[in-house]
Amino acid sequence: MAYSDPTYVIFDGDEDAWAYRFMKGWNASENVSFEFANAHDLDNMTSRAQDEDYVKRNLRNRMNGSSQVLVLIGEKTKNLFRFVRWEMELALDLGLPIIAANLNGSRQQDASCPPIIRDKCVVHVPFKMKAIKHALANWPSEFHRLSNAQRGDGARSYGESTYRDLGL
């Protein structure tokens, strides 16, 4: 996979940074077939990153340069409002395809899903490299082919045959 369009990753930096680092590790490894353009690499924030307005302005610029969003959903993600909820709300406002990677291994929307994206046109996958890779390669184009009415049908997930084909 060589997904060249920037992907904006949303995660709980206190609890779930390990998962983000895993993805960066997959991306950096020559022995793993997983590549994505990380929107967080588009710029660097300065020491002013303590200023909420400054941080949100920079995150908005990163998201504006992104083609899709990946939300890493951990145990506490649904309780985060200052930045994580704001980022998900911005992604919805911008009409970006959203992939929810469940750190608990769930293949579909479950109780850990943050309310802001619950029952929205978001594809849910387990936090597994092959599942995320498949979603990054397929969900953005699938999402853009859906009509507004189809997007109103709610949460999405891949069927057993997709996981069988992925070897999961």
Side-chain angles (χ1 to χ4, degrees), residues 77-90:
T77 307
K78 66 182 176 187
N79 302 322
L80 301 175
F81 291 89
R82 186 174 178 198
F83 292 110
V84 171
R85 179 188 161 90
W86 175 83
E87 290 172 299
M88 289 185 275
E89 189 170 25
L90 180 60

Side-chain angles (χ1 to χ4, degrees), residues 78-160:
K78 66 182 176 187
N79 302 322
L80 301 175
F81 291 89
R82 186 174 178 198
F83 292 110
V84 171
R85 179 188 161 90
W86 175 83
E87 290 172 299
M88 289 185 275
E89 189 170 25
L90 180 60
L92 290 169
D93 289 347
L94 293 173
L96 292 171
I98 299 174
I99 300 162
N102 297 307
L103 300 184
N104 65 6
S106 176
R107 292 181 174 184
Q108 56 196 355
Q109 177 180 286
D110 65 14
S112 63
C113 182
I116 189 78
I117 61 169
R118 187 171 297 147
D119 299 326
K120 301 290 185 190
C121 189
V122 171
V123 69
H124 293 261
V125 298
F127 183 75
K128 298 201 178 282
M129 184 185 67
K130 289 180 180 178
I132 294 170
K133 179 179 170 180
H134 177 80
L136 286 172
N138 294 287
W139 178 242
S141 60
E142 293 171 18
F143 177 83
H144 290 298
R145 285 194 305 267
L146 296 172
S147 67
N148 285 337
Q150 290 171 315
R151 289 180 187 175
D153 290 342
R156 308 298 169 106
S157 60
Y158 295 113
E160 285 299 316

